Amino acid sequence: MVKVAVIGVNHIGRIHCRTYAEHPDAELVAVCDLNRELADSVAAQLGVRAYYDVATLLEREPIDIVSVATGGKENGSHHLEPVMAAIAAGKDVLVEKPISNDIGEAREMVRFAKERGVRLGCNLNHRFTPAAKKAKQWMEAGDIGTPLYINMRLTIGNPNESTPWIHLRALHPHSFDVVRYFGGEVRRVQAFLTKSPGRSVWSTASINLEFASGAVGHLTGSYDIFGWHSIECCEVAGDKGRFVLDNVYESATLYPHLEEELRVYRNSIMTGMRGFDDTFRLRLDAFIREVRDGVLPDQISASGEDGLAVQKIIEAAIRSHESGGAVVEVE
């Protein structure tokens, strides 16, 4: 059994806790939060020990994995300290996205994990759905041919007005990870941002993409779309066909060129994903298995380096907007 502790047990952290507690190959042994009342409450619900500082947790608990689900500014400013402490203690770490809202801190975490030889994963959970994996299989089988364009859309309703860049830095690590999962590295971006009526932050984005492969693409993202309809769609097209991955996990459809028949993968209501929270289950399961099976740190899926890569794209998009929509190279 892989022994796990979760640091930060607010909403997302509690999803981590429940997922580990229910996993057949993991044992949740402790939770940690600066809010003592919250830590005690979650610990009591799950029958585990509560801690209120990271140093004591790491000193007393013989754990294999530390999940860091703290928040902070743009959902990422409180990640550095617990991640670095866990890495220093030789623990494998899964950190929530964004890996950090500060690109320097993200680099520091990735560098330190590599230096210490531990696994650093990021919760880029949208790529782990069966529908996404099926679409990836179509690509690898050559069913779309040479990729030509990738169009991504991720829109939710979120009234957060805490910083000008909350929408890009907090939400679109998911978008750009899906884009990179199918299209590889992004070379250049051009961003145009706007605000819906009454808003003070850049809440809707249109971002042009150029990939290292030569393919092109686009992201439409928004915090202004409140409703019950599809929140996410990814279309990947090549010279032999294209596919559409709809609403994170609901379906994937392959449209072969010059053929009347389509290939459709649909989430089963009986044996498939039960809801969006299952994206956490699938992602955490992948990390547990990689730790259990001894997968090398530089070969794990949705790694800290992937988390850093998507933040680089976001920072390039911010620079593009600040430059009046100039085309900006991604580092």
Side-chain angles (χ1 to χ4, degrees), residues 179-191:
V179 162
R180 290 182 70 250
Y181 181 62
F182 293 123
E185 298 298 337
V186 175
R187 181 163 55 198
R188 297 194 298 171
V189 302
Q190 180 187 35

Side-chain angles (χ1 to χ4, degrees), residues 168 190-194 202 204-208 218-219 221 317 320-321 324-327:
L168 286 181
Q190 180 187 35
F192 303 96
L193 311 181
T194 191
W202 301 108
T204 291
S206 174
I207 302 173
N208 295 321
H218 185 264
L219 167 68
S320 173
H321 174 73
V327 176

Side-chain angles (χ1 to χ4, degrees), residues 240-285:
K240 293 184 180 179
R242 67 184 178 94
F243 67 76
V244 176
L245 177 62
D246 194 36
N247 213 18
V248 189
Y249 67 88
E250 287 187 353
S251 68
T253 304
L254 176 66
Y255 299 83
H257 290 351
L258 304 176
E259 293 184 24
E260 295 179 349
E261 294 184 353
L262 313 180
R263 261 184 269 170
V264 180
Y265 173 93
R266 287 181 178 166
N267 184 63
S268 168
I269 63 170
M270 300 299 293
T271 60
M273 294 178 63
R274 299 161 294 183
F276 182 77
D277 282 1
D278 268 4
T279 61
F280 291 85
R281 175 179 60 84
L282 293 168
R283 197 283 167 263
L284 269 57
D285 173 71

Side-chain angles (χ1 to χ4, degrees), residues 11-170:
H11 173 63
I12 298 298
R14 287 198 296 274
I15 296 176
H16 282 234
C17 289
R18 290 194 301 270
T19 303
Y20 287 121
E22 295 170 359
H23 197 283
D25 296 324
E27 180 186 1
L28 180 69
V29 298
V31 298
C32 181
D33 201 287
L34 293 175
N35 183 330
R36 286 174 173 256
E37 183 178 347
L38 178 60
D40 287 340
S41 173
V42 174
Q45 291 171 17
L46 296 169
V48 301
R49 290 174 288 279
Y51 292 87
Y52 319 111
D53 70 273
V54 175
T56 304
L57 165 70
L58 294 171
E59 179 184 337
R60 295 183 180 177
E61 294 291 345
I63 48 184
D64 304 297
I65 291 175
V66 175
S67 254
V68 176
T70 50
K73 180 180 177 183
E74 296 164 340
N75 295 355
S77 65
H78 293 170
H79 291 167
L80 179 66
E81 183 177 344
V83 168
M84 295 295 279
I87 292 172
K91 311 302 180 184
D92 292 316
V93 180
L94 180 70
V95 61
E96 263 298 329
K97 65 83 201 166
I99 183 173
S100 176
N101 67 319
D102 180 286
I103 199 76
E105 291 184 356
R107 292 182 192 280
E108 193 173 350
M109 286 183 265
V110 170
R111 176 200 59 77
F112 194 43
K114 187 176 295 186
E115 176 184 304
R116 298 302 293 262
V118 305
R119 299 170 188 86
L120 175 62
C122 190
N123 186 28
L124 301 166
N125 48 321
H126 291 210
R127 69 157 75 178
F128 288 90
T129 70
K133 290 182 178 179
K134 176 58 69 175
K136 185 77 165 181
Q137 290 171 8
W138 290 335
M139 285 195 75
E140 291 173 345
D143 290 325
I144 72 161
T146 300
L148 300 175
Y149 72 76
I150 300 177
N151 288 331
M152 183 74 192
R153 172 179 57 79
L154 177 53
T155 58
I156 66 171
N158 190 328
N160 194 311
E161 296 271 314
S162 57
T163 77
W165 311 112
I166 178 71
H167 165 230
L168 286 181
R169 288 186 175 139

